[in-house]
Each structure stands twice: as C-alpha cells, then as structure tokens.
Amino acid sequence: MTVRPRRSVLYMPGANTRALEKAKVLPADALILDLEDSVAPEAKAEARENVCEAVHGGGYGRRELVIRVNAIETAWGMDDLRAAASVEPDAILVPKVSSPGDIVTVAKVLDAINAPSRVRVWAMMETPSSILNAREIAALGADPETRLSCLVMGTNDLLKESRARALHDRVAVVPWLAMAIVAARAYGLDILDGVYNDFRDDVGFRDECEHGRTLGMDGKTLIHPSQVGPCNEIFSPTVEEVSWARKVIAAFEEPANRQKGVITLEGRMVERLHLVMARRTVAIADAIEAMRRTEEEWF
Ligand code: COA
Ligand code: MG
C-alpha cells in the first residue's frame, strides 16, 4: 500500500518571495504556491513569474508542490495554467470549482499542452454549488484521465457565500465538510480541511486540527509557518494507534486466525475491516518515518 502523507499543506502568496524561499526548510508535507486570492490584481504577473521560477528552481526536497491558479474564466486563468503546467508541479489547484466541467476543462487544457500525466489536479471546494455537486465532482477521481486526486476545503469562501457565522465550533461548516469527506472517500480521493485564520491562537488551532481529524480529514491547509508543527503532530497516527495497529496485523497473521473473520484481541472484538484500517495506519506511519529520514539526509 503506498500512501502520501498530506498532513500539513501550507499556502503562500506567490508575490511573497521570502515565503517561497523560507518554505524550503519548513516541515510541511505540501506547499500551495498561490496565484489567486492572496495576490492583488497588480501583482498577478509578477507572482506567476516568482512561482514558476521557484518550482523550476527546485530545492523543496520531499515537499509536494502545488500551484493554485486563477479560475480559467478570469483574465489571468489561461496564462496561469500554461505557465504552471510548463514547470510541472505535483498538482495544479483549481479554485472556485462549481461542477465537474470545471475540472474537465482544466484537464483538457493540460492534455492539449502535453503536461505530463504526473501533474495532478486538486479542486477547491468553496462554492455552494461545489457542495451540492460534491458527488459528481469527486466521481471524476475514478477516472485517472481527469487527473483529480485531492479535494481542498475553502471554508472562508463557503462562509462568505452562505452568510453563515464563523464560530469556533464550526456548527455551520460541519455539514459541508462531512458531505465533501464522504464524496472524497466514495471515489478514493484525499481531502484537506480549510484554514484557521487566527494564526496566533495556538489552542484554537489545535482544537480545529483535532476536529478535522475526527471528521476524517487527511490533513489541513495552513497559512502560517507556526501552524505546521502542531498540524503534523495531530494528523500523524499516535504511538498508541500505531502499536495497536501492529498488534492487529500480527494477530491476523497467526496461523490460527488466518481464516477467521473476527477475533478477540485484548478483550476487544477485531474484524477484518479493522485489519484494513490497521494496514493504512502503519503505511502512513512508515511513510512519515521515511520522509523524516529523507529530510535528515537532505540537510
Ligand atoms: N509561508 C511561508 N512563509 C511564511 C508564511 C507562509 N504562509 N507566512 C509567513 N511566512 C514567513 C514570513 O515571510 C516571515 O519570514 P521572515 O521572518 O523571514 O521575514 C515569517 O514567516 C514570520 O511571518 P509573520 O511576521 O509572523 O507573519 P506576517 O504578518 O508577515 O504574515 C500573513 C501574516 C497571514 C499575511 C502570512 O502568514 C500569509 O501571507 N499567509 C498565507 C496567506 C495565503 O496564502 N492565503 C491564501 C489561502 S487562504
Ligand atoms: Mg478561496
């Protein structure tokens, strides 16, 4: 089983060259180099150049590099897409997705300009229509030709569009997150939680990471370097979870249990579905450990 940990995914404005440089040593699993909403209209062209130069220049080690382009129907969209594809990032993040057509259009442009198939597409789930169409959008994940591999919650835009209140218990947001999570899971996609704006509030941020993980998110999008460490910690399997998972795997490997669908382990019922979960937990823990070792060699 190969899994790609996407615990911490840090946005940075493409106009901020200091941030683009700093990100090379931050322990984030992925970076989103933004050309869209964090870049003012006058700075769009320069940001595009900065971001393409950064991706082309490399030096980001094991971090996945994702470029968020402007929507294709904007004045910058097509130029962004062409420029981004030419430097072959790991993925292109499409903003303001409303329907599957928005992803299909981007995939067609990428094919037309011969972007290699390893350049994937991620989709921002941030319009009311994206939630209503979550199933149809996520279903594109079943067809590798569409390149769709990850959904990214845009909770700030969803709050704005829905006129809901941004309270700390996320009472308005939870149904949208839950809809998108089941859609992602139904079609084998990863999904990332939205950002926590109050980046000086460590306690509130940790609570929201826990909340996202409890809901089933693979990781969280971030806005500030200080959020990376706590986010990695909370979205990593705990020592107890990994140790239990290894016990479950070992128990089903015992000759007496090989043919069994259900067993008792330390007084608990354990079924084969728990074995599947255990294998995933161990695969993620191993991948995190492998990344840590690569990082050590890198520096
Ligand atoms: N990625 C990489 N580096 C970042 C960063 C980010 N998202 N945010 C801040 N930094 C760097 C700063 O450049 C600064 O580096 P320096 O000390 O070498 O100058 C350092 O971290 C400390 O920054 P700080 O002073 O605490 O923050 P700030 O007031 O300069 O910036 C924000 C605050 C919110 C404007 C900034 O963090 C940011 O732009 N975040 C991303 C916003 C974004 O991309 N939004 C779009 C999606 S929601
Ligand atoms: Mg947005």
Side-chain angles (χ1 to χ4, degrees), residues 135-249:
R135 180 187 182 158
E136 288 73 19
I137 294 167
L140 296 175
D143 175 6
E145 301 270 297
T146 68
R147 302 174 188 244
L148 184 64
S149 64
C150 188
L151 303 182
V152 183
M153 297 308 303
T155 40
N156 281 333
D157 270 289
L158 279 166
L159 285 165
K160 165 184 161 260
E161 296 296 321
S162 65
R163 301 182 202 154
R165 288 174 77 192
L167 300 178
H168 280 289
D169 62 7
R170 301 208 287 179
V171 64
V173 178
V174 166
W176 310 326
L177 300 179
M179 288 268 290
I181 287 170
V182 289
R185 297 296 171 238
Y187 298 99
L189 298 175
D190 274 358
I191 179 164
L192 306 172
D193 205 348
V195 301
Y196 189 77
N197 297 335
D198 195 357
F199 62 86
R200 307 268 182 235
D201 170 13
D202 180 54
V203 174
F205 173 69
R206 282 177 165 272
D207 281 351
E208 201 171 280
C209 287
E210 294 282 0
H211 187 241
R213 187 171 176 211
T214 300
L215 287 169
M217 292 289 171
D218 295 297
K220 190 168 176 67
T221 47
L222 310 174
I223 51 166
H224 194 272
S226 64
Q227 295 179 323
V228 175
C231 187
N232 279 343
E233 180 196 318
I234 293 166
F235 280 95
S236 298
T238 63
V239 172
E240 293 75 29
E241 284 166 339
V242 176
S243 136
W244 174 254
R246 292 197 197 280
K247 280 186 198 167
V248 169
I249 294 168

Side-chain angles (χ1 to χ4, degrees), residues 36-37 68 96 124 126 157:
E36 200 222 8
D37 281 354
R68 184 165 78 171
K96 314 275 189 312
M124 288 296 308
E126 58 183 347
D157 270 289

Side-chain angles (χ1 to χ4, degrees), residues 10-13 16 18-19 22-23 26 34 38 68 156 195 199-200 223-225:
L10 177 64
Y11 282 103
M12 62 209 59
N16 184 346
R18 262 179 99 82
K22 209 178 177 82
L26 295 174
D34 189 25
S38 72
R68 184 165 78 171
N156 281 333
V195 301
F199 62 86
R200 307 268 182 235
I223 51 166
H224 194 272

